[in-house]
C-alpha cells in the first residue's frame, strides 16, 4: 500500500487533466487518470480510489451516468469539476449522488481544501475531526491512508486496507458478505464469498501479529452465514 490517498481524476481535456494530476501528486496524493466514461468505470472497478474528481461533460457519456454507477454500491466521495455553472446543473449533479461541486475556472488551493474535507467526511461518524478512527489499539487514518496498531504501522495491501476501512467506518454495524464484496471488489464479485474469507483471515492475522496484547486479534467479528462487523470501542477490553 502506498500510504497515500488515491484520487481518480476524470477529465477529457488533457492539459487540464494533467495540470490537476501533477498538482495533486505534488501534494502527496496518488493520482489515477481517465479521459472518458468507459475508462473511468474500468479504472473504478480495477482499483477503488478514495475519491473521484469528475468532469460532467465527457465525450461518451454524461457524468451523471458515472455517478449513478458508482452509487449503486459505494459511498466513495465524488467531487464534480465542471464548466457547467448554472444552479440547475449543480443541483442535478448533487441529486444524482455527487458530494461537492467546483466550477471551472478554479483555484488549486480551493480544490485541495474541498478534497481534504471530503476525505475527512468519508471516514464516517466514527472518525475524529482529523479523519481518524481508533478502536482499541487500532487506528485508521483515512486522509493519510495508514493503519497503525499501537505505535506500529500495519503493512496492508490496497484491498485489505479498503476492507478494514469499510468495516471500521461503522463500528458495531453488521455488514453482509454481499455488501462488503461490492464495496471492496465491485459488483462482479458479489457472489465470491471465498474472496472475503481469505482477506478477513489475512487481516486478522496481521492485526494479531502487530498487537502483543491480543486485543486487536478479535477486532473483526464473524456473524456466520451473514457477514462481519468490527467491535465498538466499549466492547474492546
Amino acid at each position: 500500500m502506498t500510504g497515500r490517498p488515491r484520487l481518480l481524476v476524470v477529465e477529457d481535456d488533457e492539459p487540464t487533466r494533467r495540470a490537476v494530476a501533477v498538482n495533486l501528486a505534488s501534494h502527496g496524493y496518488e493520482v489515477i487518470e481517465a479521459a472518458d466514461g468507459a475508462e473511468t468505470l474500468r479504472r473504478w472497478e480495477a482499483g477503488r480510489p478514495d475519491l473521484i474528481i469528475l468532469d460532467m461533460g465527457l465525450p461518451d457519456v454524461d457524468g451523471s451516468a458515472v455517478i449513478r454507477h458508482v452509487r449503486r454500491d459505494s459511498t466513495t466521495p465524488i467531487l464534480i469539476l465542471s464548466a457547467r455553472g448554472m444552479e440547475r446543473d449543480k443541483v442535478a449533479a448533487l441529486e444524482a449522488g455527487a458530494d461537492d461541486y467546483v466550477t471551472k475556472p478554479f483555484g488549486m488551493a480551493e480544490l485541495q481544501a474541498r478534497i481534504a474535507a471530503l476525505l475527512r467526511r468519508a471516514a464516517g461518524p466514527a472518525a475524529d475531526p482529523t479523519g481518524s478512527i481508533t478502536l482499541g489499539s487500532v487506528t485508521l487514518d483515512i486522509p493519510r491512508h495508514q493503519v497503525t496498531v499501537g505505535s506500529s504501522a500495519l503493512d496492508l495491501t490496497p484491498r485489505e486496507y479498503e476492507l478494514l476501512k469499510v468495516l471500521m467506518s461503522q463500528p458495531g454495524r453488521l455488514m453482509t458478505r454481499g455488501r462488503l464484496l461490492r464495496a471492496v471488489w465491485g459488483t462482479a464479485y458479489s457472489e465470491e464469498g471465498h474472496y472475503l474469507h481469505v482477506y478477513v483471515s489475512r487481516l486478522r492475522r496481521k492485526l494479531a501479529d502487530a498487537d502483543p496484547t491480543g486485543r486487536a486479534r478479535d477486532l473483526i467479528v464473524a456473524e456466520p452465514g451473514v457477514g462481519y462487523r468490527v467491535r465498538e470501542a466499549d466492547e474492546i477490553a
Side-chain angles (χ1 to χ4, degrees), residues 137 139 147-155 210-212:
S137 60
T139 296
V147 178
T148 54
V149 179
S151 59
S152 302
L154 204 60
D155 184 18
D211 184 6

Side-chain angles (χ1 to χ4, degrees), residues 10 30 43 66 69 75 87 141 153 181 210:
V10 184
E30 178 185 351
R43 292 190 178 280
V66 175
H69 181 94
T75 59
E87 183 176 342
D141 186 332
L181 285 163

